[in-house]
CSV table of all heavy atoms in Angstrom, one decimal:
chain,number,residue,atom,x,y,z
A,273,PRO,N,-14.8,44.1,4.9
A,273,PRO,CA,-13.8,43.2,5.6
A,273,PRO,C,-13.0,42.4,4.6
A,273,PRO,O,-13.4,42.1,3.5
A,273,PRO,CB,-14.7,42.3,6.4
A,273,PRO,CG,-16.0,42.3,5.8
A,273,PRO,CD,-16.2,43.6,5.1
A,274,ARG,N,-11.7,42.2,5.0
A,274,ARG,CA,-10.8,41.4,4.1
A,274,ARG,C,-10.7,40.0,4.8
A,274,ARG,O,-10.2,39.8,5.9
A,274,ARG,CB,-9.5,42.0,4.1
A,274,ARG,CG,-8.5,41.2,3.2
A,274,ARG,CD,-7.2,42.0,3.1
A,274,ARG,NE,-6.2,41.2,2.3
A,274,ARG,CZ,-5.0,41.6,2.1
A,274,ARG,NH1,-4.5,42.7,2.7
A,274,ARG,NH2,-4.2,40.8,1.4
A,275,PRO,N,-11.2,38.9,4.2
A,275,PRO,CA,-11.2,37.6,4.8
A,275,PRO,C,-9.8,37.2,5.0
A,275,PRO,O,-8.8,37.6,4.4
A,275,PRO,CB,-11.9,36.7,3.6
A,275,PRO,CG,-12.6,37.7,2.8
A,275,PRO,CD,-11.9,39.0,2.8
A,276,GLY,N,-9.6,36.3,6.0
A,276,GLY,CA,-8.3,35.8,6.4
A,276,GLY,C,-7.9,34.7,5.4
A,276,GLY,O,-8.7,34.1,4.6
A,277,SER,N,-6.6,34.4,5.4
A,277,SER,CA,-6.1,33.3,4.6
A,277,SER,C,-6.3,32.0,5.3
A,277,SER,O,-6.5,31.9,6.5
A,277,SER,CB,-4.6,33.6,4.3
A,277,SER,OG,-4.5,34.7,3.5
A,278,SER,N,-6.2,30.9,4.5
A,278,SER,CA,-6.4,29.6,5.1
A,278,SER,C,-5.0,28.9,5.1
A,278,SER,O,-4.1,29.2,4.3
A,278,SER,CB,-7.4,28.7,4.3
A,278,SER,OG,-8.7,29.3,4.3
A,279,LEU,N,-4.9,27.9,6.0
A,279,LEU,CA,-3.7,27.1,6.2
A,279,LEU,C,-4.0,25.7,5.7
A,279,LEU,O,-4.9,25.1,6.2
A,279,LEU,CB,-3.2,27.1,7.6
A,279,LEU,CG,-2.6,28.3,8.2
A,279,LEU,CD1,-2.2,28.1,9.6
A,279,LEU,CD2,-1.3,28.8,7.4
A,280,GLN,N,-3.2,25.2,4.8
A,280,GLN,CA,-3.2,23.8,4.4
A,280,GLN,C,-2.1,23.1,5.1
A,280,GLN,O,-0.9,23.4,4.8
A,280,GLN,CB,-3.2,23.6,2.9
A,280,GLN,CG,-3.5,22.1,2.5
A,280,GLN,CD,-3.7,22.0,1.0
A,280,GLN,OE1,-3.3,22.9,0.2
A,280,GLN,NE2,-4.4,21.0,0.6
A,281,LEU,N,-2.4,22.1,6.0
A,281,LEU,CA,-1.4,21.4,6.7
A,281,LEU,C,-0.9,20.2,5.9
A,281,LEU,O,-1.5,19.8,5.0
A,281,LEU,CB,-1.9,21.0,8.1
A,281,LEU,CG,-2.5,22.1,8.9
A,281,LEU,CD1,-2.9,21.6,10.3
A,281,LEU,CD2,-1.5,23.3,9.1
A,282,THR,N,0.2,19.7,6.4
A,282,THR,CA,0.7,18.3,5.9
A,282,THR,C,0.0,17.2,6.5
A,282,THR,O,0.2,16.0,6.2
A,282,THR,CB,2.2,18.3,6.2
A,282,THR,OG1,2.4,18.4,7.6
A,282,THR,CG2,2.9,19.4,5.5
A,283,ILE,N,-0.9,17.4,7.5
A,283,ILE,CA,-1.5,16.4,8.2
A,283,ILE,C,-2.5,15.6,7.3
A,283,ILE,O,-3.3,16.2,6.4
A,283,ILE,CB,-2.4,17.0,9.4
A,283,ILE,CG1,-1.4,17.6,10.4
A,283,ILE,CG2,-3.3,15.9,10.0
A,283,ILE,CD1,-0.5,16.6,11.1
A,284,ASP,N,-2.5,14.3,7.4
A,284,ASP,CA,-3.5,13.5,6.7
A,284,ASP,C,-4.6,13.2,7.6
A,284,ASP,O,-4.4,12.6,8.7
A,284,ASP,CB,-2.8,12.2,6.2
A,284,ASP,CG,-3.8,11.3,5.4
A,284,ASP,OD1,-4.9,11.0,5.8
A,284,ASP,OD2,-3.4,11.0,4.2
A,285,ARG,N,-5.8,13.6,7.3
A,285,ARG,CA,-7.0,13.5,8.2
A,285,ARG,C,-7.3,12.1,8.7
A,285,ARG,O,-7.4,11.8,9.9
A,285,ARG,CB,-8.2,14.1,7.5
A,285,ARG,CG,-9.5,14.1,8.3
A,285,ARG,CD,-10.6,14.5,7.4
A,285,ARG,NE,-11.9,14.4,8.1
A,285,ARG,CZ,-12.5,15.3,8.8
A,285,ARG,NH1,-11.9,16.5,8.8
A,285,ARG,NH2,-13.7,15.1,9.3
A,286,ASP,N,-7.2,11.1,7.7
A,286,ASP,CA,-7.5,9.8,8.1
A,286,ASP,C,-6.4,9.2,8.9
A,286,ASP,O,-6.7,8.5,9.9
A,286,ASP,CB,-7.7,9.0,6.8
A,286,ASP,CG,-8.9,9.4,6.0
A,286,ASP,OD1,-9.8,9.9,6.6
A,286,ASP,OD2,-8.9,9.2,4.7
A,287,LEU,N,-5.2,9.5,8.6
A,287,LEU,CA,-4.1,9.0,9.4
A,287,LEU,C,-4.0,9.5,10.7
A,287,LEU,O,-3.7,8.8,11.7
A,287,LEU,CB,-2.7,9.3,8.6
A,287,LEU,CG,-1.5,8.6,9.0
A,287,LEU,CD1,-1.7,7.0,8.9
A,287,LEU,CD2,-0.3,9.0,8.2
A,288,GLN,N,-4.4,10.8,10.9
A,288,GLN,CA,-4.4,11.5,12.2
A,288,GLN,C,-5.5,10.8,13.1
A,288,GLN,O,-5.3,10.6,14.3
A,288,GLN,CB,-4.8,13.0,12.0
A,288,GLN,CG,-4.9,13.7,13.3
A,288,GLN,CD,-3.6,13.9,14.0
A,288,GLN,OE1,-2.5,14.0,13.4
A,288,GLN,NE2,-3.7,14.1,15.3
A,289,PHE,N,-6.7,10.5,12.4
A,289,PHE,CA,-7.7,9.9,13.2
A,289,PHE,C,-7.3,8.5,13.8
A,289,PHE,O,-7.5,8.2,14.9
A,289,PHE,CB,-9.0,9.8,12.3
A,289,PHE,CG,-10.1,9.0,12.9
A,289,PHE,CD1,-10.9,9.6,13.8
A,289,PHE,CD2,-10.3,7.7,12.5
A,289,PHE,CE1,-12.0,8.9,14.4
A,289,PHE,CE2,-11.3,6.9,13.2
A,289,PHE,CZ,-12.2,7.5,14.1
A,290,MET,N,-6.7,7.7,12.9
A,290,MET,CA,-6.3,6.4,13.4
A,290,MET,C,-5.2,6.5,14.4
A,290,MET,O,-5.2,5.7,15.3
A,290,MET,CB,-5.9,5.5,12.2
A,290,MET,CG,-7.0,5.1,11.3
A,290,MET,SD,-8.3,4.1,12.2
A,290,MET,CE,-7.3,2.7,12.9
A,291,THR,N,-4.3,7.4,14.2
A,291,THR,CA,-3.2,7.5,15.1
A,291,THR,C,-3.7,7.9,16.5
A,291,THR,O,-3.3,7.3,17.6
A,291,THR,CB,-2.2,8.6,14.7
A,291,THR,OG1,-1.7,8.2,13.4
A,291,THR,CG2,-1.0,8.7,15.6
A,292,GLN,N,-4.7,8.8,16.6
A,292,GLN,CA,-5.2,9.2,17.9
A,292,GLN,C,-6.0,8.0,18.5
A,292,GLN,O,-5.9,7.8,19.7
A,292,GLN,CB,-6.1,10.4,17.7
A,292,GLN,CG,-5.5,11.7,17.5
A,292,GLN,CD,-6.4,12.9,17.5
A,292,GLN,OE1,-6.1,13.9,16.8
A,292,GLN,NE2,-7.5,12.8,18.2
A,293,ARG,N,-6.7,7.3,17.6
A,293,ARG,CA,-7.5,6.2,18.1
A,293,ARG,C,-6.6,5.1,18.7
A,293,ARG,O,-6.9,4.6,19.8
A,293,ARG,CB,-8.4,5.6,17.0
A,293,ARG,CG,-9.4,4.5,17.4
A,293,ARG,CD,-10.2,4.1,16.3
A,293,ARG,NE,-11.1,3.1,16.6
A,293,ARG,CZ,-12.0,2.5,15.8
A,293,ARG,NH1,-12.1,2.9,14.5
A,293,ARG,NH2,-12.8,1.6,16.2
A,294,ILE,N,-5.6,4.8,18.0
A,294,ILE,CA,-4.7,3.7,18.5
A,294,ILE,C,-4.0,4.1,19.7
A,294,ILE,O,-3.9,3.4,20.7
A,294,ILE,CB,-3.6,3.4,17.4
A,294,ILE,CG1,-4.3,2.7,16.2
A,294,ILE,CG2,-2.6,2.4,18.0
A,294,ILE,CD1,-3.4,2.6,15.0
A,295,LEU,N,-3.5,5.4,19.8
A,295,LEU,CA,-2.8,5.9,21.0
A,295,LEU,C,-3.8,5.9,22.2
A,295,LEU,O,-3.3,5.4,23.3
A,295,LEU,CB,-2.3,7.2,20.7
A,295,LEU,CG,-1.4,7.8,21.8
A,295,LEU,CD1,-0.1,7.0,21.9
A,295,LEU,CD2,-1.0,9.3,21.5
A,296,ALA,N,-5.0,6.3,22.0
A,296,ALA,CA,-5.9,6.3,23.1
A,296,ALA,C,-6.2,4.9,23.7
A,296,ALA,O,-6.3,4.7,24.9
A,296,ALA,CB,-7.2,7.0,22.7
A,297,ARG,N,-6.3,4.0,22.8
A,297,ARG,CA,-6.6,2.6,23.2
A,297,ARG,C,-5.5,2.0,23.9
A,297,ARG,O,-5.7,1.3,25.0
A,297,ARG,CB,-7.0,1.7,22.0
A,297,ARG,CG,-7.4,0.3,22.4
A,297,ARG,CD,-8.0,-0.5,21.2
A,297,ARG,NE,-6.9,-0.7,20.2
A,297,ARG,CZ,-6.9,-0.1,19.0
A,297,ARG,NH1,-7.8,0.8,18.7
A,297,ARG,NH2,-5.9,-0.4,18.1
A,298,GLN,N,-4.2,2.2,23.5
A,298,GLN,CA,-3.1,1.6,24.1
A,298,GLN,C,-2.8,2.3,25.5
A,298,GLN,O,-2.4,1.6,26.4
A,298,GLN,CB,-1.9,1.7,23.2
A,298,GLN,CG,-1.9,0.9,21.9
A,298,GLN,CD,-1.8,-0.6,22.2
A,298,GLN,OE1,-1.4,-1.0,23.3
A,298,GLN,NE2,-2.3,-1.4,21.3
A,299,VAL,N,-2.9,3.6,25.4
A,299,VAL,CA,-2.7,4.3,26.7
A,299,VAL,C,-3.7,4.0,27.8
A,299,VAL,O,-3.4,4.2,29.0
A,299,VAL,CB,-2.6,5.8,26.4
A,299,VAL,CG1,-2.6,6.7,27.7
A,299,VAL,CG2,-1.4,6.2,25.5
A,300,ALA,N,-4.8,3.6,27.4
A,300,ALA,CA,-5.9,3.3,28.4
A,300,ALA,C,-5.4,2.2,29.4
A,300,ALA,O,-5.9,2.0,30.5
A,300,ALA,CB,-7.1,2.8,27.7
A,301,GLN,N,-4.3,1.4,28.9
A,301,GLN,CA,-3.8,0.4,29.8
A,301,GLN,C,-2.9,0.9,30.9
A,301,GLN,O,-2.7,0.2,31.9
A,301,GLN,CB,-3.0,-0.6,29.0
A,301,GLN,CG,-3.8,-1.3,27.8
A,301,GLN,CD,-2.9,-2.1,26.9
A,301,GLN,OE1,-1.8,-2.7,27.4
A,301,GLN,NE2,-3.2,-2.3,25.7
A,302,ALA,N,-2.5,2.2,30.8
A,302,ALA,CA,-1.6,2.8,31.7
A,302,ALA,C,-2.3,4.0,32.3
A,302,ALA,O,-2.6,5.0,31.7
A,302,ALA,CB,-0.3,3.2,31.1
A,303,LYS,N,-2.7,3.9,33.5
A,303,LYS,CA,-3.5,4.9,34.2
A,303,LYS,C,-2.7,6.1,34.4
A,303,LYS,O,-1.5,6.1,34.8
A,303,LYS,CB,-4.0,4.4,35.6
A,303,LYS,CG,-4.8,3.1,35.5
A,303,LYS,CD,-6.1,3.3,34.8
A,303,LYS,CE,-6.9,2.0,34.7
A,303,LYS,NZ,-8.2,2.2,34.0
A,304,GLY,N,-3.3,7.3,34.1
A,304,GLY,CA,-2.7,8.6,34.4
A,304,GLY,C,-1.5,8.9,33.5
A,304,GLY,O,-0.6,9.6,33.9
A,305,SER,N,-1.5,8.3,32.4
A,305,SER,CA,-0.3,8.4,31.5
A,305,SER,C,-0.5,9.7,30.6
A,305,SER,O,-1.5,10.2,30.3
A,305,SER,CB,-0.1,7.2,30.7
A,305,SER,OG,-1.3,6.9,29.9
A,306,VAL,N,0.7,10.0,30.0
A,306,VAL,CA,0.7,11.1,29.0
A,306,VAL,C,1.5,10.5,27.8
A,306,VAL,O,2.5,9.8,28.0
A,306,VAL,CB,1.5,12.3,29.5
A,306,VAL,CG1,1.6,13.4,28.4
A,306,VAL,CG2,0.8,13.0,30.6
A,307,ALA,N,0.9,10.7,26.6
A,307,ALA,CA,1.5,10.0,25.4
A,307,ALA,C,1.6,10.9,24.3
A,307,ALA,O,0.8,11.9,24.1
A,307,ALA,CB,0.8,8.7,25.1
A,308,ALA,N,2.5,10.6,23.3
A,308,ALA,CA,2.6,11.4,22.1
A,308,ALA,C,3.0,10.4,21.0
A,308,ALA,O,3.7,9.5,21.2
A,308,ALA,CB,3.7,12.5,22.2
């Protein structure tokens, strides 16, 4: 078999984690909301 190639993203793992955490906490104040 020929292994697949890998993708290196521009995403910063730590920054992504904190962004998701902050967004989830703030959005919790608005019921049934969708955020990005």
Side-chain angles (χ1 to χ4, degrees):
R274 181 180 179 183
S277 299
S278 297
L279 288 178
Q280 187 169 21
L281 306 183
T282 59
I283 297 294
D284 185 304
R285 178 187 175 94
D286 296 334
L287 196 56
Q288 178 72 28
F289 173 78
M290 285 303 300
T291 301
Q292 288 187 209
R293 183 176 180 180
I294 294 169
L295 188 64
R297 184 175 65 251
Q298 292 291 341
V299 168
Q301 305 175 26
K303 302 296 182 181
S305 59
V306 176

